[in-house]
Amino acid sequence: MLFGKKKDRKIPALNTTSTADISFMLLIFFLVTTSLDTDEGLTRYLPPMPQKNEQKQMDVKREDLMNIRINAEDRLTCDNDTVTASQLTGKVAQFITERGKKHVISVMADRHSSYEAYFAMQNAIVNAYTAVRENIARKEYKIPYSQCSQEQRDAIARICPQRISEAEPTEGGEQ
């Protein structure tokens, strides 16, 4: 027996040279094959920022104003009548057609209403404007709105402007 002399022991080792390559390939595989959820939003162009001291105050006749409300229970009302989103589209389109450029749509939501109800209401209003503008394009230019030139679309927007007044959300949906 040998005292004082240590035995050389070999420690078993794993060959890890290709581990980084495999990890990188797996990462790329999962990134390529995974689908990400896309959030839906509102497709609406915001008006340009007003210049300093360019606040416009408008006098609106009561008959030219349509009130749309959503309460905390997601109940949608149009001029105090309970409606669904699809019914709202028809009512808004009819209102815009009857009132022309003078119309104003007033929108108010309760703070506790759901996003789904709010987006359904906003989409119903946008769909109404789309339908009215489509009718104007077919009447004036004999083509669908989607085929109109930019000048024609601008002319249609002057005939049927988007006039939506949105109040800040409140408790109880009342001012």
Side-chain angles (χ1 to χ4, degrees):
M1 280 208 166
L2 299 169
F3 293 105
K5 199 173 188 188
K6 291 187 178 180
K7 243 182 174 181
D8 286 333
R9 288 189 179 170
K10 284 198 165 193
I11 300 174
L14 291 174
N15 185 2
T16 59
T17 54
S18 65
T19 306
D21 294 336
I22 292 171
S23 300
F24 185 68
M25 288 189 338
L26 284 173
L27 176 67
I28 290 174
F29 172 76
F30 287 121
L31 286 174
V32 170
T33 59
T34 303
S35 64
L36 299 175
D37 291 337
T38 56
D39 294 332
E40 290 186 28
L42 299 174
T43 54
R44 179 162 315 145
Y45 293 106
L46 296 176
M49 287 289 291
Q51 298 297 326
K52 223 175 194 178
N53 301 326
E54 190 190 320
Q55 296 287 332
K56 288 184 182 178
Q57 191 167 10
M58 295 175 52
D59 292 326
V60 179
K61 293 180 183 174
R62 179 77 183 117
E63 62 266 8
D64 295 333
L65 181 68
M66 176 180 266
N67 290 304
I68 300 172
R69 305 282 183 262
I70 301 176
N71 68 6
E73 292 81 34
D74 293 341
R75 190 179 72 146
L76 184 61
T77 60
C78 176
D79 289 334
N80 297 322
D81 295 331
T82 302
V83 293
T84 63
S86 60
Q87 291 170 331
L88 181 63
T89 300
K91 282 184 170 261
V92 171
Q94 180 182 358
F95 182 76
I96 294 168
T97 304
E98 289 172 358
R99 300 292 187 246
K101 293 180 184 180
K102 299 181 294 183
H103 77 277
V104 174
I105 298 173
S106 172
V107 175
M108 186 181 294
D110 186 278
R111 288 190 191 281
H112 301 294
S113 60
S114 68
Y115 285 115
E116 290 80 17
Y118 179 78
F119 286 137
M121 178 210 43
Q122 289 286 347
N123 286 333
I125 294 170
V126 170
N127 290 341
Y129 275 104
T130 302
V132 170
R133 288 178 175 179
E134 181 72 27
N135 289 339
I136 293 170
R138 290 187 184 276
K139 182 179 171 187
E140 296 289 323
Y141 303 109
K142 311 289 189 254
I143 57 173
Y145 183 75
S146 60
Q147 294 177 1
C148 289
S149 68
Q150 188 59 46
E151 293 83 24
Q152 292 170 330
R153 288 180 188 216
D154 292 342
I156 292 171
R158 284 189 296 276
I159 295 170
C160 176
Q162 255 190 16
R163 298 185 66 191
I164 301 171
S165 170
E166 190 159 358
E168 263 199 57
T170 60
E171 298 289 331
E174 299 298 325
Q175 282 184 331

